[in-house]
Amino acid sequence: MPEHVLITGGAGFIGTRLAKRFVQAGHSVTVLDSLIPQVHGDDPETTSPLLRSLDGVATVLRGTVTSTQDLARALEGATVVVHLAAETGTGQSMYEIDRYVEANVGGTAKLLDLLANEPHTVRRLVIASSRSIYGEGAYRTEDGRLVYPPHRADADMATGDFEVHMPGEGPIEIVPTDEDAKLHPSSVYGITKQMQESLIMTVAPTIGIEPVSLRYQNVYGPGQSLKNPYTGILSIFSTLIRQGKEINIFEDGLESRDFVYIDDVVEATFRAATMVDAAGGVFNVGSGVATTVEEVVAALFAAFGSEVPTKVSGNYRLGDIRHNVADTTRLRTVLGYEPSVTFREGVTRFVEWVLTEPVEGDTYQRSLDEMASRNLLK
């Protein structure tokens, strides 16, 4: 049966591709998006290719999830809601605390309050959660026990010790983090994502709605914002390469992330929204492969066919984690989906797209200056 899908934050990187996936499958889509300048520019109708890509695909409503009126209008006739709307960026969240909490937690609370107290047709609600809720994630001790280490200490990192330590233990080794891991986020952003997920997974079943939580890892690919300095190192480093500027590699360059290509994320989200077996589930959406920052730089140099100077500076940001890699067993066994795009292939596709885009200004340095002025970047 065709669904009427509401995608909050649907004019963004993930939402626009997801809207097309739903329409291709015969569903109709409404998008609610605030079209913030940090992502879409000052005049979205002319400066946002993402917004223009929804022409003829979805009904786009400009509004915010922090407005009950905007949400009520967007929910009309919806049978499935994919809640992507959120302020993103670990670093920025540590000093724009009220804005992150209002949008991420307050917006989710308003959505649930409407669904709990007003007539509606929603049967499933998918929340875009985040791997950030795991904090440092899962590690294994020398004798084989799983442990969940605390956040890294500023004092340790100041001496160049960037590894994760567990009090009372010897060396520990990173292992894929599954959905049953301890939740202990290390940033304001992570805290708000945990609260979003907790609210939806707790409230939705009590009002007859099937909840699904997707813990996205580091999503990348064509369409990712090149303007927003908080969207990730692939965009940031690509811009620096095109500008011929030096790349400052934080810590020792051996910190790692689980990068997952946009098409894989869209397919996993589509299945989470439409498959019967997904109801009530919590799923990691990642590649299951850890890639270091040094490997990211090497892959970008290879894809661009050119290099710029690099500096492994030892700089670090408070709130950052050291490593992450997702256990994707549940994604494969329940949703029957395994990400198919390797990091090297994904970077090649990403760079091919980047080269068709204008070179953006250096907003990255301004973001670093903001963090340094607040003693969050060392």
Side-chain angles (χ1 to χ4, degrees), residues 161-348:
D161 179 5
F162 301 113
E163 291 301 335
V164 175
H165 301 286
M166 186 73 184
E169 301 288 348
I172 54 176
E173 179 184 8
I174 182 75
V175 296
T177 300
D178 68 19
E179 293 88 348
D180 297 322
K182 177 181 178 179
L183 306 183
H184 60 144
S186 59
S187 66
V188 172
Y189 172 69
I191 292 168
T192 66
K193 298 308 286 185
Q194 181 182 0
M195 293 182 71
Q196 280 188 308
E197 179 181 306
S198 297
L199 284 166
I200 284 174
M201 299 305 289
T202 300
V203 174
T206 71
I207 56 177
I209 296 175
E210 300 168 344
V212 185
S213 179
L214 301 178
R215 294 173 180 170
Y216 292 153
Q217 308 298 304
N218 290 67
V219 186
Y220 74 100
Q224 187 170 354
S225 176
L226 301 174
K227 301 183 182 73
N228 186 351
Y230 304 99
T231 55
I233 61 173
L234 281 163
S235 290
I236 292 165
F237 288 175
S238 292
T239 298
L240 292 173
I241 291 168
R242 297 185 76 192
Q243 293 172 335
K245 294 183 177 180
E246 181 181 73
I247 293 176
N248 178 1
I249 299 175
F250 286 1
E251 301 188 14
D252 57 5
L254 300 180
E255 62 273 30
S256 65
R257 297 294 183 266
D258 184 331
F259 292 96
V260 57
Y261 191 68
I262 180 63
D263 291 353
D264 287 322
V265 171
V266 166
E267 183 59 28
T269 306
F270 175 79
R271 294 186 182 210
T274 57
M275 289 181 62
V276 172
D277 290 347
V282 176
F283 303 92
N284 285 331
V285 180
S287 67
V289 177
T291 302
T292 68
V293 174
E294 285 189 342
E295 290 170 334
V296 169
V297 173
L300 285 170
F301 286 169
F304 275 107
S306 63
E307 300 185 9
V308 296
T310 61
K311 176 179 69 176
V312 180
S313 65
N315 291 141
Y316 59 92
R317 298 188 309 179
L318 299 182
D320 272 357
I321 59 155
R322 176 63 171 171
H323 302 295
N324 82 270
V325 58
D327 184 323
T328 59
T329 302
R330 192 178 294 177
L331 182 70
R332 296 195 307 270
T333 57
V334 179
L335 298 188
Y337 188 68
E338 184 163 4
S340 59
V341 180
T342 66
F343 182 67
R344 189 160 294 277
E345 173 60 25
V347 168
T348 298

Side-chain angles (χ1 to χ4, degrees), residues 1 14 34 48 68-69 88 110 131 138 165 187 239 257 264 282 291 300 320 345-346 365 367:
M1 179 180 296
I14 298 173
S34 59
S48 176
T68 300
Q69 184 177 1
T88 61
K110 278 186 166 57
R131 71 83 38 219
H165 301 286
S187 66
T239 298
R257 297 294 183 266
D264 287 322
V282 176
T291 302
L300 285 170
D320 272 357
E345 173 60 25
Q365 186 57 50
S367 73

Side-chain angles (χ1 to χ4, degrees), residues 2 58 70 83 94 98 105-106 122-123 130 151 167 176 180 213 217 222 226 235 243 279 288 331 337 360 371:
D70 291 346
H83 187 34
M94 299 296 284
D98 183 61
V105 181
V122 176
R123 64 169 191 83
S130 166
H151 313 318
D180 297 322
S213 179
Q217 308 298 304
L226 301 174
S235 290
Q243 293 172 335
L331 182 70
Y337 188 68
E360 296 296 339
M371 293 197 69

Side-chain angles (χ1 to χ4, degrees), residues 14 38 68 73 119 132 229 281 319:
I14 298 173
Q38 184 167 295
T68 300
R73 181 168 57 118
S132 64

Side-chain angles (χ1 to χ4, degrees), residues 119-174:
H120 65 82
T121 52
V122 176
R123 64 169 191 83
R124 181 166 294 189
L125 174 53
V126 180
I127 174 63
S129 186
S130 166
R131 71 83 38 219
S132 64
I133 70 177
Y134 293 127
E136 290 292 349
Y139 282 72
R140 194 178 302 280
T141 64
E142 291 181 293
D143 59 2
R145 290 173 292 112
L146 277 181
V147 293
Y148 302 97
H151 313 318
R152 294 180 294 168
D154 187 3
D156 289 337
M157 292 191 286
T159 67
D161 179 5
F162 301 113
E163 291 301 335
V164 175
H165 301 286
M166 186 73 184
E169 301 288 348
I172 54 176
E173 179 184 8
I174 182 75

